């Protein structure tokens, strides 16, 4: 990224140090649990121990005897107010507090409120709930069996089938498969996992009975959308709700849904007329909030004998848990899964997905998934490797052969997307070079002769982010634009507010850099705020890597509106016409007479003191940006592993990540995002699983068994970049936050399979725990 | 309700007295009784380290220690790092090397790092990773945290902080 | 997350602590490092009405050699065992064990006494002390008594300690010349309990023949396991690859792992075999030095 502003201005491409760090390194962040209000009381949720049961009775007398007990809210209480159920973000509803039955272990059954947090916990233990157990359904493959228990009695159609969705050319793909000499097939499960940000979800709901205003401090990645939904669901006038999303300790999609705990806290606050704090524990977070993945996928690639791909057919079974609470655009029941043709030029493709209910927690869209792109990228990258091994072709060579050529962009893929730009070969070639690929293959061949197991895995993913154009995208009906409002002060400093909400991505530093680029105001002179719905312009929030593509564009456009007005003021000050002026970051000057100039600071001052006749005072603008298309970042990752034959342990020796996200605002921040996302991908590939036994008991429901890597397990990440700007984006940028999580699991898995491929291994499902590798080696007589 | 105990804890150099239930966890004493919310809670099974503070100079998980046990002892939290308005080299290191993103693990991470450097002023990368192995981070992938600690080690070695 | 209500007392002497244990009987538990007990209380799986905090009792934390033994006080923190130069140089098997218990913060509070007294088969010191044929010193109402480690672990979470006894010392016989030991633990990540762990301690004569062998297994049974058959197999033999492999196979047979989230029983057995091999090789190297 070529920097075209000075370091003092700090526009695009500068590795500006972060403004937000000042408070975090001093322990002065303001996370939701740090909020203390006078008279504040505490909530604690009572949860179902059963995966499927009738709710017979709830007795609260013992709980109410706890000193400090104030109230116990049950589903029956909410039902009386029409709030026992709430809409999900995806054409379904879910219980706030259980009525009639419970549908997953850890489901919310009652909400205890006490003057002290410890008392609320004591209350929860004393609430007596009677259940009649019902047969449990945890295997999605059995959900549609004739004898499967029907989970959702509230739905008209008495079936566990939620949706069928398909896209592409079914017949054409079928014919291409039948007519091709080679078909490679993989059955790949992307296991249920959980984003587990370090800060759990929670809120402080503060209803002021005097003003009738409800203020909610909320762990929210989308504060405006949440405000609107609280208003509609709760019947509270929207002007009387203020959602404040303060500092958020990581989101990764976990903080997009509205959870029952929030609703209960709001109801309790309305009822008691005082602030109610509810912060969930880690176990509650893992067991009841939005999980990720649980996609059971099959891909078939048809190809010629020389490896040229002809068709892709994909069939997926999606386990959604007890309610369809997938937080994704409303026309896409499988999110953006149809990006599954990936970086390859498939003439024909067909994709179908069926969603089912099971007795598990609801969710599905989370963990840096870009709306199911993680599943799609994993599948196609696994399938390409299966094809490569089947054809005894080098996996890099097979990919290079089939990449969409760089001159074919904008590219219309057979499943409907128009990729904006790409140069897949450049990223691949850089990654191969950084890795020293040929030497690695030589080393592998030598090691193989000695019986040592070493593997090299490649993943060349294409991402699709920046949702999204109004004609196609909305969440719960709200279009997915985003916004930026900029106000320049008389002394040339500025404040900007966005409709997005950072949870660590550094917006307070990066968005001012866009403004600095456009206006030449030093980035340190620009304050950036997000998250308070009373002051920030309406936006859809931060997730699915959309902030830079959408709000970043809005920021540039708002800045350009300001620059347009600034030009008029400059012309007035310099007594020339606008056409006689040229611009360089920070000043307008007269063409041919560069000393006759006005700085943006002088112009700002004039906007309040010396305006042209008839012009409104002030220097500000707001822009709501409707993106014309999504953006398509991409990259190639290469992973090198060594396997300990005696124990099955896989050691990641090296990991090379080449990412292309177009023009970069702050390379330091992008690199940090890559490191973090790769570490999540590592965890998913090797360690993470949320599972349920046949009785519906959740396994991996706390940090003892849901594993997060420490600094010891995490390898050193080698990063590189290429730059293929987005032609439709005002600053040529694409998103990047999720690319490492999208692209890396396949690289890890491909490497392990590659290490064992000479033994006939073609696929291993994640998480690849040492015992899985060991069992394979034992079967093959290696250990 | 159990009998309350009167405790005096020296928190960041200042004595804090209170009457507390025995079951009050030290982390809640620090956050809710003493009002120092820089120390965070990230889990309920003693795995994440977000609550790490120094007890008589040694890093411990304050979620797995009762406030009554801290009677008469010294606790240092992230709020105690700054000295005469000057940032500690650890804090500087985290900022210079982009060792934080959401900031939630950062206080605990810095306390572990500080203790590591006081015991081992010139740690290798392996020793740094081992030294912070009780602190989980979801955002950074640890790479820049390692650099932050190396920055602080170099700074402290210079004798900047007496 | 929030422990239930309990009463708390902090005695200043062992006799005080012991009489409190007698007074409150099953309603009381010792609070030592608390790194096993407090997490269980936070999950409300353990609900002692009384916690007797022994951390103020003086002279319970020490690492010294005396009377032909390495003596470690029951209240000695794992971090101090890890940092001890004496232990690192003369008893590396103990250093290697302490080092992989939980994580650095937990090790600053966790005690060796608590680690052994808790009786969790997943705790690491058990296997190592079985391999070293250590002795537990328990102090109760009737004074001190010595319990051979082989008799100490009875069943899961149950040891030979009486309810009113405190584990005040663990003592390890000073090894003869040409002795060496090692501890190998495989864990899913730092901070986890062992998927399997093996401690091996050997003594060789001047011809390299094994005169003494101790092998302990972590987390592959209801208690830490002393692999007595594997030990018997090695006595009188040279520690060459074939004999080590034989002992490793034997140790595997003596393990009784269960399948769980860390892996199937068959895998854990395979691990015991592999880790026994590695531990014996390292122990032999150290003995041969």
């Amino acid at each position: 990224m070529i920097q075209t502003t000075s370091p003092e201005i700090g526009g695009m491409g500068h590795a500006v140090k972060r403004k937000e760090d000042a408070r975090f390194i001093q322990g002065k962040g303001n996370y939701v649990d740090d909020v203390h209000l006078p008279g504040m009381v505490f909530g604690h949720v009572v949860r179902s121990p059963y995966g499927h049961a009738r709710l017979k009775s709830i007795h609260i007398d013992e709980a109410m005897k706890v000193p400090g007990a104030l109230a116990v809210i049950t589903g029956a209480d909410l039902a009386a107010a029409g709030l026992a159920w709430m809409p999900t973000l995806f054409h379904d509803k879910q219980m706030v507090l259980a009525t009639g039955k419970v549908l997953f272990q850890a489901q919310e059954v009652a909400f205890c409120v006490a003057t002290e947090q410890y008392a609320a916990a004591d209350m929860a233990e004393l609430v007596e709930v009677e259940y009649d157990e019902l047969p449990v359904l945890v295997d999605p493959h059995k959900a549609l069996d004739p004898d499967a228990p029907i989970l959702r009695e509230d739905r008209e159609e008495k079936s566990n089938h939620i949706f069928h969705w398909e896209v592409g050319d079914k017949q054409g793909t079928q014919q291409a498969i039948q007519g091709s000499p080679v078909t490679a097939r993989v059955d790949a499960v992307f296991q249920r996992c959980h984003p587990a940000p370090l800060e759990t979800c929670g809120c402080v709901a503060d209803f002021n009975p005097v003003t009738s205003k409800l203020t909610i401090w909320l762990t929210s990645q989308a504060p405006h959308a949440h405000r609107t939904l609280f208003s509609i669901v709760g019947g509270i006038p929207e002007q009387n709700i203020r959602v404040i999303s303060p500092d958020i300790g990581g989101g990764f999609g976990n903080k997009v849904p509205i959870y029952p705990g929030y609703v209960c806290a709001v109801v309790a606050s309305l009822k008691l007329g005082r602030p109610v704090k509810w912060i969930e524990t880690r176990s509650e977070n893992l067991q009841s909030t939005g999980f990720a993945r649980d996609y059971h996928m099959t891909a078939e690639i048809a190809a010629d004998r020389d490896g040229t791909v002809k068709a892709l057919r994909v069939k997926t079974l999606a386990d959604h848990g007890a309610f369809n609470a997938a937080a994704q655009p409303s026309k896409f029941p499988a999110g953006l899964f149809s990006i599954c043709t990936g970086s390859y030029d498939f003439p024909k493709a067909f994709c179908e997905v069926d969603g089912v209910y099971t007795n598990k927690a609801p969710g599905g869209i989370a963990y840096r998934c870009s709306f199911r792109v993680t599943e799609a990228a994993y599948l196609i990258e696994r399938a390409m490797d299966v094809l490569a091994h089947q054809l005894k072709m080098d996996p890099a060579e097979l990919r290079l052969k089939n990449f969409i050529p760089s001159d074919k962009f904008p590219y219309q893929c057979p499943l409907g997307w128009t990729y904006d730009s790409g140069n897949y070969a450049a990223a691949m070639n850089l990654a191969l070079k950084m890795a020293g690929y040929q030497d690695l293959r030589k080393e592998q061949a030598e090691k193989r002769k000695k019986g040592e197991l070493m593997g090299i895995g490649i993943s060349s993913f294409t991402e699709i982010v920046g949702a999204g154009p109004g004609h196609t995208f909305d969440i719960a009906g709200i279009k997915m634009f985003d916004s930026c409002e900029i106000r320049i002060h008389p002394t040339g400093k500025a404040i900007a507010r966005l409709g997005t909400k950072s949870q660590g991505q550094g917006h307070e530093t990066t968005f001012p850099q866009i403004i600095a680029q456009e206006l030449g105001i030093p980035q340190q002179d620009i304050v950036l705020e997000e998250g308070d719905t009373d002051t920030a312009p309406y936006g859809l929030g931060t997730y699915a890597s959309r902030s830079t593509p959408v709000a970043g564009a809005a920021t540039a456009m708002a800045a350009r509106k300001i620059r347009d007005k600034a030009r008029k003021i400059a012309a007035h000050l310099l007594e020339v016409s606008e056409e006689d002026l040229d611009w360089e970051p920070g000043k307008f000057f007269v063409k041919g007479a560069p000393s006759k100039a006005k700085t943006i600071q002088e112009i700002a001052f004039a906007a309040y003191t010396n305006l042209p006749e008839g012009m409104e005072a002030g220097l500000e603008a707001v822009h709501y940006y409707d993106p014309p298309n999504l953006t398509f970042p991409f990259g190639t990752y290469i992973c090198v592993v060594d396997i300990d034959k005696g124990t099955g342990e896989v050691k990641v020796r090296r990991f090379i990540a080449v990412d292309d996200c177009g023009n970069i605002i702050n390379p330091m921040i992008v690199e940090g995002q890559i490191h973090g996302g790769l570490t999540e991908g590592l965890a998913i590939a090797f360690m993470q699983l949320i599972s349920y036994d046949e009785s519906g008991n959740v396994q991996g429901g706390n940090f003892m068994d849901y594993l997060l890597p420490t600094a010891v397990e995490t390898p050193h990440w080698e990063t590189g970049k290429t730059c293929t700007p987005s032609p439709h984006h005002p600053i040529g940028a694409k998103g990047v936050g999720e690319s490492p999580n999208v692209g890396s699991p396949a690289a890890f898995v491909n490497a392990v399979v590659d290490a064992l491929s000479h033994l006939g291994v073609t696929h291993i499902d994640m998480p690849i725990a040492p015992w899985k590798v060991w069992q394979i080696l034992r079967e093959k007589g290696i250990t | 309700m159990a009998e309350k105990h009167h405790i005096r804890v020296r928190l960041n150099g200042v004595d804090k007295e209170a009457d507390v239930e025995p079951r009050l966890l030290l982390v809640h004493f620090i956050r809710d009784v003493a009002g120092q919310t820089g120390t965070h809670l990230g889990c309920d099974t003693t795995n994440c380290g977000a609550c790490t503070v120094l007890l008589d100079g040694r890093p411990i998980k304050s979620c797995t220690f009762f406030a009554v046990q801290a009677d008469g002892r010294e606790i240092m939290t992230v709020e105690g790092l700054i000295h005469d308005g000057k940032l500690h080299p650890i804090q500087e290191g985290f900022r210079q090397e982009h060792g934080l993103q959401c900031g939630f693990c950062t206080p605990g991470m810095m306390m572990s790092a500080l203790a590591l450097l006081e015991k081992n002023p010139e740690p290798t990368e392996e020793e740094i990773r081992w030294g912070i192995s009780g602190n989980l981070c979801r955002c950074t992938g640890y790479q820049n945290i390692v650099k932050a600690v190396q920055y602080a080690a170099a700074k402290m070695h210079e004798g900047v902080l007496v | 997350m929030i422990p239930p209500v309990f009463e708390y007392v902090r005695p200043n002497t062992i006799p005080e602590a012991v009489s409190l244990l007698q007074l409150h009987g099953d309603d009381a538990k010792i609070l030592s490092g608390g790194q096993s007990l407090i997490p269980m209380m936070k999950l409300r799986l353990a609900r002692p009405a009384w916690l007797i905090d022994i951390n103020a009792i003086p002279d319970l934390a020490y690492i010294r050699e005396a009377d032909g033994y390495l003596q470690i006080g029951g209240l000695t923190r794992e971090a101090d065992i890890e940092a001890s130069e004496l232990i690192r140089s003369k008893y590396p098997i103990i250093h290697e064990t302490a080092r992989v218990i939980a994580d650095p913060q937990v090790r600053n509070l966790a005690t060796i006494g608590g680690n052994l007294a808790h009786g969790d088969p997943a705790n690491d010191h058990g296997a190592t002390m079985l391999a070293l044929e250590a002795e537990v010193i328990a102090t109760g109402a009737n004074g001190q008594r010595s319990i051979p480690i082989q008799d100490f672990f009875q069943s899961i979470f149950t040891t030979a300690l009486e309810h009113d006894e405190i584990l005040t010392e663990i003592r390890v016989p000073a090894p003869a010349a040409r002795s060496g030991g090692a501890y190998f633990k495989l864990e899913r990540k730092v901070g986890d309990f062992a998927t399997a762990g093996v401690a091996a301690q050997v003594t060789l004569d001047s011809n390299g023949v094994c005169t003494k062998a101790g092998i302990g297994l972590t987390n592959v049974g209801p208690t830490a396991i002393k692999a007595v058959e594997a030990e018997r197999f090695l006595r009188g033999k040279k520690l060459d690859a074939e004999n080590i492999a034989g002992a490793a196979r034997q140790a595997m047979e003596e393990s009784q792992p269960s399948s769980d989230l860390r892996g199937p029983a068959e895998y854990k057995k395979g691990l015991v075999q592999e880790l026994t091999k590695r531990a014996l090789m390292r122990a032999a190297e150290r003995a041969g030095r």
Side-chain angles (χ1 to χ4, degrees), chain B residues 7-67:
Chain B
I7 63 172
R8 184 198 288 136
V9 178
R10 196 161 179 81
L11 179 59
N12 295 323
V14 176
D15 279 347
K16 178 73 196 165
E17 291 190 52
D19 296 314
V20 301
E21 273 193 280
R23 65 172 173 161
L24 181 70
L25 299 171
L26 179 61
V27 64
H28 288 136
F29 174 82
I30 292 169
R31 287 179 56 79
D32 302 328
V33 177
Q36 310 272 292
T37 57
T39 302
H40 300 140
L41 265 164
C43 80
D44 50 4
T45 49
T46 316
N47 290 107
C48 81
C51 64
T52 303
V53 301
L54 300 188
L55 171 73
D56 298 330
R58 290 185 161 203
I60 65 156
K61 294 178 179 179
S62 62
C63 71
T64 308
F65 197 77
F66 295 113

Side-chain angles (χ1 to χ4, degrees), chain A residues 117-118 121-122 125 281 644 646-647 649 687 699-700 704-705 707-708 710 712-713 770-771 774-775 778, chain C residues 1-5 43-44 47 186-190 192 261-264 266-267 270-271 273-275 278:
Chain A
Q117 181 193 3
Y118 282 37
D122 292 339
E125 207 184 17
T281 65
D644 182 326
T647 62
E649 285 171 294
M687 296 172 166
Q699 323 281 310
M704 291 200 311
D705 288 311
L707 305 176
L708 273 53
T710 71
V712 171
E713 290 82 42
W771 63 261
W774 184 90
Q775 274 187 335
R778 181 45 71 100
Chain C
M1 178 68 209
I2 307 298
V5 168
L43 292 173
R44 301 197 173 199
R47 314 177 71 113
L186 191 136
E187 49 187 359
R188 294 176 298 176
K189 55 168 269 197
V190 167
D192 196 16
L261 293 176
R262 292 190 181 83
E266 189 211 20
Y267 171 62
L271 265 190
Q273 184 174 11
E274 181 63 32
L275 297 180
R278 297 184 190 189

